[in-house]
Amino acid sequence: MSTAIRKRVQKRCKIRGYNLKVDALDEILSFVSRFPDADANDAIDLLLDQLHNQTLKSPIIEKEAVQAVVALLSEAEAAGEEDGDTSHAASTTSAIRVVDAFLLPKLRYDSIKKLFYEHTGNLPIHGDASAKANLYRDRYQLLLQRLTRDQHFSKPAFDSEISNFGNCEISPIQSLVGQTGRKWVMGLISQLEDGHFYLEDLTASVEINLSNAKITTGFFSENTIVVAEGEMRVEGIFQVITCGFPPLEDREKSLKLLAGHDFFGSGVLSREETLRLAELEKKAVNDMFVIISDIWLDNEEAMEKLTTVLDVFENEEVVPSLFVFMGNFSSHPCNLSFPSFSTLRSQFGKLGKLIGMHQRLKENSRFLFIPGPDDAGPSKALPRCALPKYLTEELREHIPNAIFSSNPCRVKFFSQEIVFFREDLLYRMRRSCLLPPSAEETEDSFEHLVATITHQSHLCPLPLVVQPIIWNYDHALYLYPTPHTIVLGDRSKQKAFKYTGITCFNPGSFSSDGTFVAYRPCNQEVELSSL
């Protein structure tokens, strides 16, 4: 085995956060040697994907773990000689990567050096007071560095080079004291006193008056970061004239400037590898994801509907590559008054048995489970960890390769980045907004929601008293650089909307109205479906 292949294996393992023991490395090299050099990368990725699905005790990979995975792959290969569908399953397996929110690298912006760096220290679940302050500071810095590259807000090199748009240079809030005339400021809306709203940046805070402000599309609530034009009044209040979110930055521009950093959590790829994956993605015309939200396992009608859906896809010529099952998985919230967790455990077992009865789906599709806001877990704070093993043990016996991930969860399909988030966000954003949303561009609430989260580069820009967030893991909710697709599981009406090239959709509540989505990632086609 060549040194180049050895280095390639070590590099790919390092990207995924694995450390290899020498005998484990030898096992991987032995497996890869069965394939021609042209297929070596796919073989490595396939093996590492399968390793990711195993229950590993630590990031240090032992020889036994590799042997177990190689045995599984050998069985699949043997079955593939009898069933041609297996080759499709193998290629799909290597194409799909699931990234748990708690394994996402944390990148912070250094405003002095004007670059991002990876946080290497420990990230405890229970952060200290400074972690809460850093949450707001990091969000602000993320959007400010993006804003300063926008041609309308960047400072002109010479006074004579002011654009037709006018000089919209952002002024620090601290500098507003004693200033006259219109100024542009950027800050976070906060309520420091009851009934009095302020705009805060890293220098100071100023009370604002939004009563006559003209606003852009989106929901303006506490905790959202805005760019406001206005002027200081004698009484020390900043009278806002126009107010909007920081402008978006094109994904390709962001990636070019952030080369070498892994914001998505799926590893850093070279330009050549990214282009190769993009080509493979275009050819994957048969790949389909089926996304179903709100599957109440204790509801007979919902389970009958699910049986119908599985029956239909079982008989399709090409089965879906991925089924995404999003919570809630019970019609009753899993809180202290929840009647029986042992019953819910057996209901998950019945779901596993139901999937297992569909042989082609079981063998060729993957099943991803994402918890909902009322599912069992240690707290209501985001991000939420995967469903407890106690509940899913019986399901795993029927579907060994089922994936249980966090909420939110990220999926990389070849070169495409997809974010899944299950939260009743629309209702909560509407309740929390300080001003009625502008009807100038759209009256559709879902479009306002999409505009809000994409411009904020954050999945849940609600006040922490409304939706708690684990301070040290706020970065798991970032949408920067903008992903290709955002799936917002919500109990509101099923909806799809393409915004500035980003595909966003809500699959609807399956148990309530029988709605779900069939998504083709190769061309980002969203098929709104219902029973």
Side-chain angles (χ1 to χ4, degrees):
M1 182 60 61
S2 70
T3 310
I5 296 289
R6 179 181 287 268
K7 285 181 178 177
R8 216 179 297 170
V9 170
Q10 289 171 324
K11 182 185 175 184
R12 274 170 152 69
C13 289
K14 193 174 181 182
I15 285 171
R16 297 192 184 211
Y18 296 141
N19 289 319
L20 286 173
K21 288 200 167 182
V22 176
D23 50 2
L25 175 60
D26 291 339
E27 281 293 325
I28 293 175
L29 293 173
S30 172
F31 171 75
V32 174
S33 66
R34 303 179 194 175
F35 300 85
D37 284 353
D39 297 333
N41 287 346
D42 288 339
I44 297 166
D45 286 337
L46 179 60
L47 189 140
L48 293 179
D49 281 333
Q50 290 296 332
L51 265 175
H52 177 73
N53 295 333
Q54 304 300 307
T55 309
L56 299 173
K57 293 177 182 176
S58 81
I60 300 169
I61 305 299
E62 307 269 354
K63 178 182 178 181
E64 290 74 19
V66 178
Q67 285 176 331
V69 168
V70 169
L72 276 173
L73 293 173
S74 299
E75 284 175 27
E77 189 180 5
E81 291 170 8
E82 299 165 19
D83 185 356
D85 278 348
T86 309
S87 59
H88 170 71
S91 64
T92 300
T93 302
S94 58
I96 298 170
R97 298 184 193 179
V98 179
V99 182
D100 190 281
F102 292 94
L103 300 176
L104 199 65
K106 183 171 184 174
L107 290 147
R108 303 184 70 186
Y109 185 71
D110 187 326
S111 58
I112 307 298
K113 295 179 180 177
K114 300 280 191 293
L115 50 79
F116 282 92
Y117 65 93
E118 189 170 342
H119 178 83
T120 53
N122 196 22
L123 284 175
I125 295 294
H126 303 289
D128 55 20
S130 65
K132 185 179 182 182
N134 287 335
L135 176 151
Y136 293 112
R137 185 179 289 111
D138 290 345
R139 280 192 206 177
Y140 181 84
Q141 292 277 29
L142 182 76
L143 296 185
L144 182 62
Q145 61 87 29
R146 193 182 79 192
L147 181 80
T148 52
R149 290 196 292 271
D150 188 275
Q151 59 176 346
H152 297 138
F153 293 95
S154 54
K155 186 176 179 180
F158 302 99
D159 290 341
S160 59
E161 290 191 3
I162 296 173
S163 67
N164 296 331
F165 189 84
N167 183 8
C168 303
E169 186 190 340
I170 300 295
S171 302
I173 290 175
Q174 193 176 48
S175 71
L176 295 178
V177 181
Q179 292 281 341
T180 56
R182 292 192 179 189
K183 297 287 180 186
W184 286 87
V185 293
M186 175 173 158
L188 178 132
I189 300 175
S190 55
Q191 190 175 184
L192 300 181
E193 302 171 39
D194 284 344
H196 294 266
F197 292 96
Y198 288 76
L199 209 56
E200 292 185 84
D201 68 3
L202 300 178
T203 63
S205 62
V206 64
E207 188 174 348
I208 54 173
N209 183 347
L210 292 164
S211 57
N212 298 316
K214 184 185 177 184
I215 59 171
T216 57
T217 304
F219 293 118
F220 291 79
S221 66
E222 281 184 70
N223 266 34
T224 50
I225 294 168
V226 298
V227 176
E229 180 192 18
E231 47 191 350
M232 285 294 288
R233 296 298 187 202
V234 178
E235 60 270 27
I237 296 174
F238 187 71
Q239 179 68 48
V240 178
I241 299 164
T242 56
C243 185
F245 294 135
L248 276 174
E249 183 175 72
D250 180 66
R251 172 183 166 81
E252 295 306 318
K253 185 178 178 182
S254 299
L255 290 173
K256 198 176 288 184
L257 290 156
L258 305 170
H261 290 301
D262 180 20
F263 277 84
F264 196 76
S266 58
V268 180
L269 299 175
S270 67
R271 179 171 172 75
E272 292 74 21
E273 284 177 302
T274 305
L275 291 171
R276 183 179 69 85
L277 288 174
E279 283 301 312
L280 290 171
E281 186 185 315
K282 285 177 189 173
K283 294 173 185 175
V285 291
N286 291 325
D287 283 285
M288 179 196 284
F289 295 175
V290 176
I291 299 114
I292 307 176
S293 181
D294 263 358
I295 303 176
W296 297 343
L297 304 180
D298 57 345
N299 184 300
E300 282 186 27
E301 189 183 344
M303 295 310 289
E304 284 171 12
K305 288 179 190 173
L306 184 60
T307 305
T308 304
V309 171
L310 294 176
D311 287 345
V312 168
F313 286 113
E314 169 76 6
N315 295 314
E316 287 287 310
E317 189 179 341
V318 180
V319 299
S321 315
L322 179 70
F323 282 86
V324 182
F325 292 156
M326 303 168 86
N328 299 319
F329 290 102
S330 172
S331 57
H332 304 285
C334 293
N335 50 28
L336 294 174
S337 63
F338 187 73
S340 174
F341 283 99
S342 59
T343 304
L344 183 58
R345 172 187 164 99
S346 66
Q347 286 163 352
F348 269 108
K350 286 177 186 175
L351 174 61
K353 195 178 289 184
L354 174 63
I355 296 169
M357 288 163 61
H358 297 80
Q359 199 62 31
R360 290 181 67 223
L361 295 183
K362 180 183 176 182
E363 290 178 2
N364 302 311
S365 302
R366 296 179 78 179
F367 295 86
L368 170 62
F369 292 81
I370 299 171
D374 294 324
D375 280 322
S379 79
K380 295 289 182 185
L382 291 172
R384 290 175 64 89
C385 59
L387 290 163
K389 283 188 180 177
Y390 167 76
L391 293 178
T392 60
E393 264 179 342
E394 290 184 21
L395 187 150
R396 289 171 195 263
E397 288 174 13
H398 298 286
I399 316 294
N401 63 345
I403 307 164
F404 297 89
S405 194
S406 60
N407 182 25
C409 164
R410 294 158 183 251
V411 170
K412 186 85 173 266
F413 177 76
F414 289 114
S415 67
Q416 187 174 159
E417 295 178 356
I418 307 167
V419 175
F420 292 90
F421 184 45
R422 174 65 185 95
E423 181 61 64
D424 296 323
L425 195 58
L426 183 57
Y427 169 75
R428 302 176 80 181
M429 286 297 290
R430 291 177 70 172
R431 285 205 60 177
S432 301
C433 67
L434 308 173
L435 302 164
S438 168
E440 195 172 307
E441 289 184 29
T442 179
E443 293 184 7
D444 191 305
S445 297
F446 185 71
E447 293 181 17
H448 281 289
L449 175 64
V450 170
T452 304
I453 64 169
T454 50
H455 282 271
Q456 292 294 306
S457 288
H458 198 280
L459 280 168
C460 191
L462 284 166
L464 296 185
V465 291
V466 176
Q467 175 54 65
I469 288 174
I470 301 171
W471 301 337
N472 279 324
Y473 287 88
D474 185 57
H475 64 284
L477 282 82
Y478 284 0
L479 295 172
Y480 182 78
T482 52
H484 297 90
T485 304
I486 304 169
V487 182
L488 296 172
D490 198 292
R491 66 183 175 192
S492 60
K493 188 180 175 184
Q494 185 185 52
K495 200 82 180 177
F497 177 49
K498 195 143 188 162
Y499 185 68
T500 62
I502 307 162
T503 303
C504 303
F505 61 88
N506 167 25
S509 178
F510 183 74
S511 295
S512 299
D513 50 28
T515 55
F516 63 98
V517 161
Y519 175 66
R520 293 195 180 275
C522 68
N523 56 7
Q524 296 183 30
E525 178 190 324
V526 179
E527 188 181 315
L528 300 179
S529 310
S530 65
L531 289 177

